[in-house]
Amino acid sequence: MKFFVDTAEIDEIRELQATGLLDGVTTNPSLVAKSGRDFKEVIAEICDVVDGPVSAEVAATDYDGMVAEGNVLRKIAENVAIKVPLTVDGLKACKYFRDHDTMVNVTLCFSANQALLAAKVGATFISPFIGRLDDINLPGMDLIADIRTIYDNYAFTTEILAASIRSANHVSEAALAGADVATIPASVIRKMYDHPLTDKGLAAFVKDWKSTGQSII
Ligand code: G3P
């Protein structure tokens, strides 16, 4: 499973890059607003740090506007993936960018039918939002499993990018359901390392090692 980090904070991205875990980055207008940074500047900086896909979302909601904005964004770096919403115009724009050899992440996917449409227009990534479905008492993880089955039935190559991940459990559940990628907040990636038995076991090993009076170097 590939790990993308869902953030526009360059310091978090640098820190994660150093762990060797990071395969890409996703941003969205809310995350850019939270960062307080200039959008194009921050995307350029992220693309300098990360070799994998960096999703940059268009702000326009009409086809011409999305194409015009996406054409600006894709010139920032070769690893920019244009993020478009799952609408009629968004999927038309997806086809345009795929025809122009640019990666596309189709976002705001909440149903298997929407994922089917995105695959048919050649999306590089489809982003089902797990947490936001859970928020309204719908089983987010079932959507990942359904999309996996549909894509496998027809050998679609669109990668399933589990988004709106809110907990470490979401990550392992998405992996079990067959997601190709998870885009995860940095705070959740940090939690994935944790297990109380690891802490307990390590404390015991450290104590016992000290009692030997030995040193390795
Ligand atoms: O980037 C899209 C997605 O991951 C947003 O997550 O937590 O705002 O639903 P959330």
Side-chain angles (χ1 to χ4, degrees):
M1 179 187 238
K2 292 178 203 163
F3 278 9
F4 291 178
V5 64
D6 200 23
T7 185
E9 303 293 339
I10 192 73
D11 291 343
E12 278 188 335
I13 293 166
R14 282 188 211 284
E15 199 183 309
L16 277 162
Q17 177 67 8
T19 65
L21 290 172
L22 203 57
D23 300 300
V25 176
T26 54
T27 65
N28 63 39
S30 310
L31 294 170
V32 172
K34 197 171 149 206
S35 78
R37 299 272 318 273
D38 176 84
F39 179 38
K40 287 182 279 177
E41 210 174 273
V42 87
I43 293 295
E45 235 175 89
I46 296 170
C47 290
D48 269 352
V49 175
V50 177
D51 291 332
V54 174
S55 291
E57 188 159 343
V58 293
T61 55
D62 64 299
Y63 171 78
D64 289 337
M66 286 189 223
V67 166
E69 290 178 357
N71 275 329
V72 171
L73 295 173
R74 71 195 185 101
K75 287 196 185 87
I76 294 176
E78 278 194 356
N79 54 332
V80 167
I82 304 301
K83 206 170 176 188
V84 298
L86 209 152
T87 59
V88 174
D89 283 28
L91 292 191
K92 276 171 67 185
C94 173
K95 178 161 173 30
Y96 169 91
F97 289 116
R98 296 303 291 135
D99 288 347
H100 288 76
D101 290 329
T102 297
M103 292 183 285
V104 178
N105 176 359
V106 176
T107 191
L108 292 167
C109 170
F110 294 95
S111 78
N113 273 335
Q114 289 181 320
L116 184 52
L117 295 174
K120 283 190 69 72
V121 293
T124 317
F125 303 104
I126 182 71
S127 289
F129 276 35
I130 296 168
R132 292 193 195 185
L133 282 168
D134 289 353
D135 287 345
I136 58 161
N137 288 324
L138 290 171
M141 215 50 75
D142 288 3
L143 177 58
I144 302 283
D146 287 349
I147 299 172
R148 178 76 282 152
T149 302
I150 290 169
Y151 282 10
D152 289 351
N153 282 349
Y154 298 97
F156 283 123
T157 55
T158 299
E159 293 187 44
I160 303 170
L161 195 171
S164 188
I165 295 249
R166 306 274 177 76
S167 67
N169 277 354
H170 267 163
V171 181
S172 46
E173 284 166 16
L176 284 166
D180 300 288
V181 190
T183 189
I184 320 169
S187 57
V188 173
I189 296 181
R190 283 191 285 270
K191 286 205 179 89
M192 291 173 69
Y193 288 91
D194 295 345
H195 198 288
L197 291 181
T198 304
D199 299 341
K200 191 179 168 199
L202 185 58
F205 287 155
V206 167
K207 186 170 167 265
D208 292 344
W209 176 250
K210 264 190 194 146
S211 77
T212 70
Q214 297 182 49
S215 88
I216 295 172
I217 45 173

